[in-house]
Structure formats: C-alpha cells, structure tokens
Amino acid sequence: SSLSYQIDATRVEHFAENPMIDAALSVYVQQAREKNIPIDVKIDLPNSFAAEIDLSLVLCNLLENAIHAEESEEELLRGIRVRARAPNGSIFLSIENRCSHRIKLSADGLPKRSSNIGEHGYGIRSVLLFAKKHGVEYYVDQKNGWFSLLLHLPLPKSTDNNL
C-alpha cells in the first residue's frame, strides 16, 4: 500500500545502536550531505555505556570541525569517515577528513588553534577535557591526504549502580 511506502520513506536513517551517538551522527551526516561532503559512517558501539553523553558531545564537536574543514577543500576531494567499535572493554573512535595542507600540532598533540579557524578550537578543547575526565588516549595522524583523530576510551570494568 502507498501508506506503508510513505512511512518507509520518512523513516529516519540509523547509524548507531546507541541513541545518544545515533542522534549526534544524524544531525551532522545530514549537514555534511547538504554541503556536498561525502560522509561514511560505520559504528559498532554498546547501546549504553558510562561516558555516552560526553562521547556524543565530543563527536558533535569533532564532526563540526571536520565539516568546517571540508568546506575549504575542493568539492571533488572532500570526504569524512567516522568509525567506532568496542572490542574488549574499550571504545575506539576515529574521525578522518580529507585535508590538502599540513596541519600544525601544538604541544598537546592536537591541532593548533589558529585565529583563522575561530570556533574550530572548540572541538579540540572538548577532546582535552574529555580525555582528562575519562582517561582517554588520543592520537592525531596526517597521511595520504587524510587528517585523522583516534580516541581510545577505556570502559569501566564493572557496571555498578551509582550512575
């Protein structure tokens, strides 16, 4: 019937089992597409975990940075990749975007906040705060025309009830 077709057609795309992460991704995937930035998302995370709110905020900030960065790339060279998985008690998240110029890193190993990127510094600050609060390791890399940021978030061993 045409009604079930309409319902299917309006069904929202899902990117992650975790509702917080899924909501964050939906917003920015939509934004990237509207700006003609190819975005490729593969997420395999628990549907709930202790740091999910903080992680989804960091994800929002980093995706905003990535989209902002891609807007200054030539259309044919644009691209964003988001990957997350949770093997044996920790979460790995990586966000990569195409980048045709060298990015200068500051002493903390994250991109320098230069004046011309303005709000870009926000994502970087959020990573530092997140890392400090949750014992997260982060690693930045730039090769083959891609800039990537990898986060490693250890998950608490036991799930006790004092959430």
Side-chain angles (χ1 to χ4, degrees):
S1 76
S2 80
L3 182 61
S4 65
Y5 169 78
Q6 283 174 314
I7 290 169
D8 273 355
T10 55
R11 198 166 49 201
V12 182
E13 246 182 301
H14 282 290
F15 302 97
E17 292 291 312
N18 183 287
M20 299 285 307
I21 302 288
D22 188 55
L25 284 163
S26 305
V27 171
Y28 288 97
V29 167
Q30 184 62 35
Q31 258 187 46
R33 288 176 180 163
E34 283 166 8
K35 295 174 183 215
N36 296 322
I37 301 166
I39 183 165
D40 176 32
V41 177
K42 289 190 174 64
I43 303 284
D44 183 14
L45 291 177
N47 42 19
S48 111
F49 54 92
E52 60 187 28
I53 294 174
D54 289 347
L55 185 64
S56 52
L57 289 172
V58 166
L59 183 60
C60 287
N61 288 328
L62 291 173
L63 283 172
E64 201 160 306
N65 281 10
I67 288 170
H68 192 69
E70 291 316 279
E71 287 179 291
S72 59
E73 296 288 324
E74 285 178 55
E75 280 215 23
L76 291 170
L77 298 176
R78 294 173 175 182
I80 296 174
R81 292 193 293 232
V82 185
R83 298 283 182 270
R85 51 196 184 81
N88 351 327
S90 53
I91 287 177
F92 291 93
L93 168 73
S94 71
I95 297 184
E96 300 173 284
N97 60 274
R98 296 292 299 266
C99 187
S100 53
H101 58 280
R102 287 303 298 167
I103 292 193
K104 292 190 182 71
L105 301 181
S106 56
D108 55 29
L110 290 165
K112 267 191 173 23
R113 298 198 283 269
S114 60
S115 51
N116 64 346
I117 49 173
E119 74 284 2
H120 211 84
Y122 201 68
I124 302 308
R125 268 199 308 278
S126 74
V127 169
L128 289 170
L129 293 169
F130 180 63
K132 211 168 150 179
K133 182 173 173 184
H134 295 284
V136 168
E137 296 170 294
Y138 56 84
Y139 176 72
V140 167
D141 195 21
Q142 192 171 4
K143 61 171 184 282
N144 308 330
W146 288 87
F147 173 81
S148 60
L149 175 65
L150 175 72
L151 297 177
H152 171 231
L153 164 69
L155 294 175
K157 289 282 175 281
S158 68
T159 49
D160 39 24
N161 298 324
N162 56 3
L163 293 177

